[in-house]
Amino acid sequence: FRSGILSKSKPLSLEEVEVAPPKAHEVRIKIVATAVCHTDAYTLSGADPEGCFPVILGHEGAGIVESVGEGVTKVKPGDTVIPLYIPQCGECKFCKNPKTNLCQKIRITQGKGLMPDGTSRFTCKGKQIYHFMGTSTFSEYTVVADISVAKIDAAAPLDKVCLLGCGISTGYGAAVNTAKVEPGSTCAVFGLGGVGLAVIMGCKIAGASRIIGIDLNKDKYAKAKEFGATECMSPQDFKKPIQEVLVEMTDGGVDYSFECIGNVGVMRAALEACHKGWGVSVIVGVAAAGQEISTRPFQLVTGRTWKGTAFGGWKSVDNVPKLVTDYMSKKIKVDEFVTHTLPFDKINEAFELMHTGKR
């Protein structure tokens, strides 16, 4: 089968790979559609210290179950599924705690680019290829753990709902689960890429009355307004730091802010743009390894809250099928996030489009 294989700091190369049959509690999936995400690009760049090479990237995908290993009961061949980079085993203390979605059952092996038994299902020209984020969707076939798969509505268009495997779910959940945006509130969203747009959508659905989009790229403003932003601005248009501008224009600060870039300086600005006494800032973007956030402790002493979110706080196996249903019933947007659809062999072109912001 064909896969996009990555060697460190080089473009993806399309190679023929052998995808072994699923072992016990594993599922082999025929990937029908996959999306590209900045997390893939971060590892592709060679900057990710946890990156294992050579590797098959990709973590936003959708497909059809081709075969299952011994002991798999939740899915069967022919089922329509979305692979999950945050699994849900239902048994670990994280799964049993309603406060988190961070299942740890296969965390250690997944971080090493391996299946739960410590081996890989991918080989190319006789050499082992690593898995990525437990999903590896840049492949015509992939193998995942059975706790890393959500069965979804068979009628769902896979070239659209693959986005619910990461970006849209992450941003939407950041607003409705992590921040718990309230009706009538004022929100600021830093970074108007796919995740930022999903945050805006979540804020609007939650009833926010004012949603301020912030991005250096003004070409993104029209799309942000389509999703529900009431106004958009660029920090480059002001002499003052953007947090001061926001505090002034919102009578003391926003109720909720979201950092959707992965820039620690912007994370500070997002916190300091929050209202004294009750403002909540959510870190959604993933910063480069080794970077640290800073602010004055008085910002927190005086009532601001700093939070973070992964996959929007959704317990994955339970909620991804519901998110697909919400899309099918037009409660949430998905189609509008898709800007380009390319054949698999143009995958490097997809990364170039993402980096230029033309998406």
Side-chain angles (χ1 to χ4, degrees):
F1 309 118
R2 292 187 310 161
S3 295
I5 294 186
L6 170 66
S7 298
K8 194 166 186 175
S9 301
K10 292 179 182 170
L12 294 171
S13 68
L14 215 56
E15 304 283 352
E16 295 284 327
V17 296
E18 289 177 21
V19 183
K23 294 188 181 178
H25 294 287
E26 295 177 1
V27 180
R28 188 160 62 180
I29 302 166
K30 179 180 179 25
I31 297 290
V32 174
T34 186
V36 297
C37 170
H38 275 281
T39 308
D40 301 304
Y42 174 51
T43 302
L44 180 63
S45 72
D48 182 356
E50 288 190 1
C52 305
F53 302 95
V55 63
I56 296 172
L57 296 177
H59 65 283
E60 282 183 321
I64 309 292
V65 174
E66 179 268 339
S67 58
V68 300
E70 189 185 329
V72 175
T73 57
K74 299 267 177 79
V75 295
K76 62 185 185 304
D79 283 349
T80 304
V81 294
I82 289 177
L84 308 166
Y85 68 89
I86 295 182
Q88 186 186 353
C89 72
E91 295 164 0
C92 70
K93 69 177 180 179
F94 289 81
C95 282
K96 287 179 174 173
N97 191 321
K99 294 177 180 176
T100 185
N101 63 327
L102 299 175
C103 174
Q104 297 296 290
K105 180 86 178 225
I106 59 174
R107 178 73 220 120
I108 293 168
T109 50
Q110 182 171 313
K112 291 177 179 173
L114 300 168
M115 293 299 289
D117 72 346
T119 64
S120 170
R121 298 295 159 269
F122 299 124
T123 50
C124 179
K125 297 167 187 164
K127 287 188 177 175
Q128 174 183 280
I129 307 295
Y130 287 103
H131 294 250
F132 179 70
M133 291 177 73
T135 52
S136 290
T137 60
F138 294 169
S139 178
E140 291 180 327
Y141 286 82
T142 190
V143 178
V144 305
D146 63 353
I147 59 171
S148 303
V149 65
K151 181 182 174 182
I152 62 163
D153 182 347
L158 301 188
D159 60 332
K160 304 296 192 296
V161 296
C162 62
L163 290 170
L164 292 170
C166 180
I168 299 177
S169 303
T170 297
Y172 178 51
V176 300
N177 296 331
T178 310
K180 295 185 168 64
V181 170
E182 295 176 324
S185 56
T186 297
C187 302
V189 181
F190 292 77
L192 302 177
V195 174
L197 294 176
V199 170
I200 290 171
M201 176 175 76
C203 292
K204 184 179 181 183
I205 289 171
S209 57
R210 192 174 183 190
I211 304 169
I212 305 163
I214 299 130
D215 201 297
L216 299 173
N217 184 349
K218 295 186 178 182
D219 293 341
K220 295 186 176 182
Y221 294 177
K223 193 82 162 175
K225 287 177 180 174
E226 278 176 40
F227 275 82
T230 53
E231 59 214 281
C232 294
M233 53 201 279
S234 168
Q236 289 180 332
D237 290 345
F238 303 92
K239 289 194 173 72
K240 289 181 182 174
I242 194 67
Q243 55 266 51
E244 289 181 27
V245 175
L246 285 161
V247 166
E248 280 180 16
M249 64 188 275
T250 57
D251 187 28
V254 300
D255 302 308
Y256 304 96
S257 71
F258 302 85
E259 200 279 356
C260 306
I261 302 160
N263 179 310
V264 293
V266 178
M267 290 172 191
R268 178 175 191 157
L271 176 81
E272 295 176 1
C274 283
H275 203 289
K276 182 189 287 189
W278 62 78
V280 174
S281 187
V282 180
I283 295 172
V284 191
V286 177
Q291 297 208 317
E292 297 181 348
I293 50 172
S294 61
T295 191
R296 294 184 179 175
F298 201 64
Q299 292 286 329
L300 304 181
V301 170
T302 53
R304 294 169 194 84
T305 303
W306 221 344
K307 303 181 85 170
T309 190
F311 196 55
W314 301 108
K315 286 189 184 278
S316 58
V317 174
D318 289 344
N319 288 290
V320 167
K322 293 176 186 173
L323 289 165
V324 171
T325 301
D326 285 347
Y327 157 65
M328 299 292 275
S329 61
K330 297 193 162 49
K331 185 189 170 189
I332 61 172
K333 296 179 193 280
V334 172
D335 294 11
E336 294 82 354
F337 286 87
V338 179
T339 57
H340 299 79
T341 303
L342 294 98
F344 189 39
D345 56 12
K346 297 246 178 100
I347 191 159
N348 284 308
E349 198 176 305
F351 276 96
E352 286 164 26
L353 285 164
M354 180 170 67
H355 285 308
T356 57
K358 290 180 177 165
R359 52 197 174 98

